[in-house]
Amino acid sequence: MSATRPHHERRWLRRLSLLSVLLALGIGVILMHRLDITSMAVLERQVDAYARTFTIVRLGLIGTFALAWPSVLRWRQRLGYIDAGRVAALTAIRWRIVAWLLIIELLIGQNLVARTLSAFNGAAA
């Protein structure tokens, strides 16, 4: 592996990070404009209306990640960014990463912690 490989990988990671921030900001601006938000109550109603769609999109992205993972690794190997041993190691952890993404979706996206606590508080009352 040459000395420029880590530099290329860091540059690739920086570009993807910048792209994700810009996409998040762009989507936020578009949603704010599209939804014509004037108060927090309006915002709450709009988010509740789109909650199911957001969940489907997040789960779809996790599924796409799981299915595209081997192809992306093969593509990166063909470009010479990773070797066969690294591909095998990354392929082996694919489902672990998907499982963690699903756990994060349950805890944060589906608000499982708050729902569980409210169920315990409701049962105790």
Side-chain angles (χ1 to χ4, degrees), residues 27-101:
I27 289 170
V29 167
I30 290 169
L31 285 175
M32 293 289 281
H33 179 70
R34 169 80 171 97
L35 299 176
D36 193 28
I37 297 171
T38 56
S39 70
M40 286 305 290
V42 172
L43 176 63
E44 237 176 284
R45 282 195 307 272
Q46 293 292 341
V47 168
D48 288 342
Y50 288 109
R52 185 172 298 240
T53 304
F54 293 150
T55 299
I56 291 169
V57 168
R58 286 190 305 264
L59 292 175
L61 288 172
I62 292 171
T64 302
F65 171 82
L67 294 175
W69 186 258
S71 300
V72 170
L73 291 178
R74 283 192 305 271
W75 172 66
R76 300 274 297 161
Q77 184 182 13
R78 276 195 311 270
L79 291 176
Y81 289 115
I82 54 178
D83 59 1
R86 186 76 172 151
V87 169
L90 290 171
T91 302
I93 65 169
R94 169 176 57 159
W95 295 112
R96 189 178 311 167
I97 294 170
V98 170
W100 276 109
L101 289 172

